[in-house]
Amino acid sequence: MSLTTRLFACALFALLLLAFGHAHALTPQQAKAIAEGDSDERIAALNKAVADGATDLAPFVQALLDDAVKIAGDKVFVVRDDKATDAATGAAATLPENAEDVVSNNRMKGALQAAQAALQLVSPDVETRRTAITEMAKQTIDESQLVLLDKAVAAETDAGLKHALERMRAAILVSSSDKAKRLAAVKSLAESSEPTVASLLQERLAPDAETDPEVRAALTQALDGIRSKLAWGERAGVVFTGISLGSILLLAALGLAITYGLMGVINMAHGELIMIGAYAAYVTQNLFRSYLPGVFDYYILAAIPISFFASALVGAAMERSVIRWLYGRPLETLLATWGISLVLMQGVRTIFGAQNVPVENPAWLSGGVSVLSNLTLPFNRIAIIVFAMLVLGGLAYLVARTRLGLFVRGVTQNRRMAACVGVNTAKVDTYAFALGSGIAGLAGCALSQVGNVGPDLGQSYIVDSFLVVVLGGVGQLAGTVYAALGLGVINKLLEGWAGAVLAKIMVLVFIVVFIQKRPQGIFAMKGRSAEA
């Protein structure tokens, strides 16, 4: 900021102070009244000094919050670094031996924090005023601060901040002794769509809070209107959570759609391949923290391919050592892969321990975007939805547009014919199984950003993965997408209505009934199982 700009800001700040009231220096009497007496008297004196626009009040309030104020007789001192100054004039002073500490209880400190925020309401910087309003909203404010709020509303030029100040003013007046003011406040608050306002109106509807029938009727009508607005945010939140869960199910099931859907291998170790991907993200995070702390926020970009190849290598080893001997024998593959899953879990327990390990979100995946007053979409969940769509698009392109995808489809549809035309079916099997395993690793990398990483991570998703693949239609990517997103949204809708456990049971019953009516799932089954 240039010197000219600084001077202009200071001049504007001074003009605002003058416009805010008849500004004057903090007097010794005001300083003493704020520092001494019971809490009610001190808070009243503090609010009056704020409303009067007393200069030098801000550093005095900060000194009180820092417990750096002493009092001796009629004199109030601010003591910092063993140097005493007069609280009113700021002049250097000698601290009397009989000076006593000024102690502020929690209520007084709350009032001091509110006053500190209120003093910022006249700042020329809009962000400073915004922060001040946010801080004031956290404090308990009463009618003694109405004068200050009225002046702040009159001086505010930003429409959003002015609306927030008016809402804060209405929140005070809703408990006023004047019926007309209460009705006006309720009318103003009815335009809000914030949960805090709904809670405030609900409190005012308590039997001992508001007794006037007309005001109670207005409160009820306003509360119904706000709840109606909030309901849209809640519905959107459920749908978003359902899509987020569906994206996670989709990531977990996409790999299985290849190994089970296309190749016909009942891979009970699929969950452990997801777990390996999550641990690969954990190891990558630790490596970045130790050796590349400057770019730690980007470790997830390196963790994605590392998770893919870690799980893909394990999957390829499984296929070459065990699975390749069991094609066409689904029950044997079930037992063999179940045994492999136990070995993998015990191996991870031996290396990393039985306890969950922490995986930290990068800074750019922390927090969320506020869409409505009661709806915030977390960045990590949004990233998983986008990531799932990218993985789905990449897999669809690989299967439909690449040479490997052509071989996989050829071997799946007619292995003997593919072998007759020169396709190395054994190599294609290994590549396809490694691809499905690698996608499971990507799912584990994504899951590391939203939940705990532990040896039992895969067990939570193996059943859901099979349900998604079977419901969508074995071997059908489109069916997998519909089934994953549909189950995610339905599950979340039912959770809000019947609870998590009952919702899970209802979803299972729904799938059983659906499969009874349509055994091939949403889409017709294709692949080796169909041929069998």
Side-chain angles (χ1 to χ4, degrees), residues 383-507:
I384 285 180
I385 293 173
V386 175
F387 183 63
M389 295 301 109
L390 291 175
V391 172
L392 174 65
L395 180 61
Y397 178 82
L398 189 146
V399 171
R401 300 288 183 182
T402 65
R403 186 178 179 84
L404 174 62
L406 177 64
F407 285 171
V408 169
R409 285 184 286 129
V411 173
T412 300
Q413 292 171 10
N414 195 321
R415 171 180 287 271
R416 291 182 178 179
M417 182 60 72
C420 287
V421 297
V423 176
N424 188 337
T425 56
K427 186 178 291 184
V428 171
D429 286 335
T430 303
Y431 286 162
F433 199 89
L435 175 63
S437 303
I439 293 173
L442 293 179
C445 181
L447 287 172
S448 70
Q449 301 300 304
V450 294
N452 295 324
V453 174
D456 300 327
L457 171 67
Q459 299 297 308
S460 306
Y461 293 95
I462 184 66
V463 175
D464 287 338
S465 299
F466 273 104
L467 289 178
V468 168
V469 174
V470 172
L471 180 63
V474 178
Q476 291 295 324
L477 285 182
T480 303
V481 176
Y482 291 138
L485 296 180
L487 285 181
V489 174
I490 291 173
N491 201 61
K492 285 301 174 185
L493 288 174
L494 292 176
E495 275 186 16
W497 176 60
V501 176
L502 195 55
K504 196 74 173 177
I505 295 173
M506 295 169 74
V507 168

Side-chain angles (χ1 to χ4, degrees), residues 30-66:
Q30 283 179 313
K32 183 182 178 185
I34 295 171
E36 188 180 54
D38 61 34
S39 295
D40 289 336
E41 293 173 349
R42 292 177 64 189
I43 291 172
L46 174 66
N47 291 337
K48 186 175 186 308
V50 173
D52 290 344
T55 58
D56 297 331
L57 182 60
F60 181 55
V61 170
Q62 186 60 53
L64 286 166
L65 286 170
D66 296 340

Side-chain angles (χ1 to χ4, degrees), residues 336-425:
T337 53
W338 179 63
I340 293 172
S341 73
L342 296 179
V343 172
L344 292 176
M345 276 196 292
Q346 188 56 47
V348 167
R349 285 195 182 97
T350 303
I351 297 172
F352 297 100
Q355 302 298 320
N356 291 339
V357 295
V359 177
E360 185 179 340
N361 284 341
W364 53 278
L365 282 181
S366 302
V369 54
S370 180
V371 179
L372 298 172
S373 60
N374 61 337
L375 177 60
T376 299
L377 307 182
F379 287 136
N380 57 350
R381 294 274 179 179
I382 295 174
I384 285 180
I385 293 173
V386 175
F387 183 63
M389 295 301 109
L390 291 175
V391 172
L392 174 65
L395 180 61
Y397 178 82
L398 189 146
V399 171
R401 300 288 183 182
T402 65
R403 186 178 179 84
L404 174 62
L406 177 64
F407 285 171
V408 169
R409 285 184 286 129
V411 173
T412 300
Q413 292 171 10
N414 195 321
R415 171 180 287 271
R416 291 182 178 179
M417 182 60 72
C420 287
V421 297
V423 176
N424 188 337
T425 56

Side-chain angles (χ1 to χ4, degrees), residues 121 129 132-133 136 141 148-172:
L121 291 178
R129 300 201 302 275
I133 291 173
M136 284 192 71
I141 52 179
L148 173 68
L149 284 176
D150 287 340
K151 292 178 179 177
V153 170
E156 184 57 62
T157 56
D158 184 275
L161 297 185
K162 190 166 189 168
H163 179 67
L165 286 168
E166 289 173 342
R167 191 167 57 249
M168 193 180 299
R169 181 178 180 277
I172 297 174

Side-chain angles (χ1 to χ4, degrees), residues 81-336:
D81 300 329
D82 297 328
K83 295 180 181 178
T85 56
D86 188 289
T89 63
T94 302
L95 186 67
E97 293 184 356
N98 61 345
E100 298 179 353
D101 291 331
V102 173
V103 179
S104 300
N105 56 25
N106 289 336
R107 181 172 171 235
M108 187 65 202
K109 286 186 176 179
L112 289 168
Q113 289 169 347
Q116 195 178 40
L119 292 170
Q120 300 297 323
L121 291 178
V122 294
S123 170
D125 181 38
V126 66
E127 288 304 322
T128 302
R129 300 201 302 275
R130 193 187 310 281
T131 303
I133 291 173
T134 303
E135 289 299 320
M136 284 192 71
K138 299 176 183 176
Q139 308 299 331
T140 302
I141 52 179
D142 52 35
E143 286 192 72
S144 63
Q145 292 169 305
L146 272 178
V147 176
L148 173 68
L149 284 176
D150 287 340
K151 292 178 179 177
V153 170
E156 184 57 62
T157 56
D158 184 275
L161 297 185
K162 190 166 189 168
H163 179 67
L165 286 168
E166 289 173 342
R167 191 167 57 249
M168 193 180 299
R169 181 178 180 277
I172 297 174
L173 287 175
V174 77
S175 57
S176 170
S177 57
D178 188 331
K179 176 183 173 181
K181 290 182 178 179
R182 296 204 302 277
L183 285 171
V186 172
K187 184 179 179 181
S188 175
L189 291 173
E191 299 174 359
S192 174
S193 59
E194 296 185 0
T196 53
V197 175
S199 300
L200 174 65
L201 296 180
Q202 183 65 51
E203 291 175 5
R204 293 300 305 165
L205 279 172
D208 56 345
E210 179 59 64
T211 56
D212 188 278
E214 184 179 358
V215 180
R216 288 188 67 84
L219 284 168
T220 303
Q221 185 177 3
L223 183 59
D224 290 342
I226 293 174
R227 283 176 173 170
S228 177
K229 298 174 189 173
L230 291 175
W232 284 105
E234 293 170 0
R235 294 186 192 109
V238 170
V239 173
F240 174 78
T241 308
I243 293 175
S244 173
L245 175 61
S247 300
I248 292 173
L249 292 178
L250 177 61
L251 281 172
L254 272 179
L256 200 63
I258 295 175
T259 56
Y260 175 59
L262 292 180
M263 303 180 68
V265 176
I266 303 177
N267 184 14
M268 295 301 290
H270 185 74
E272 280 57 52
L273 295 171
I274 295 175
M275 173 198 69
I276 289 172
Y279 272 99
Y282 167 71
V283 172
T284 307
Q285 168 204 249
N286 289 347
L287 290 175
F288 268 69
R289 180 174 286 145
S290 300
Y291 300 105
L292 297 170
V295 291
F296 177 77
D297 278 343
Y298 302 99
Y299 84 84
I300 192 65
L301 301 180
I304 291 172
I306 291 174
S307 297
F308 177 86
F309 285 112
S311 294
L313 286 174
V314 174
M318 285 173 55
E319 200 277 339
R320 298 296 286 182
S321 60
V322 178
I323 306 296
R324 66 181 304 185
W325 312 107
L326 302 174
Y327 285 125
R329 297 154 63 185
L331 290 179
E332 282 85 345
T333 60
L334 185 152
L335 292 174

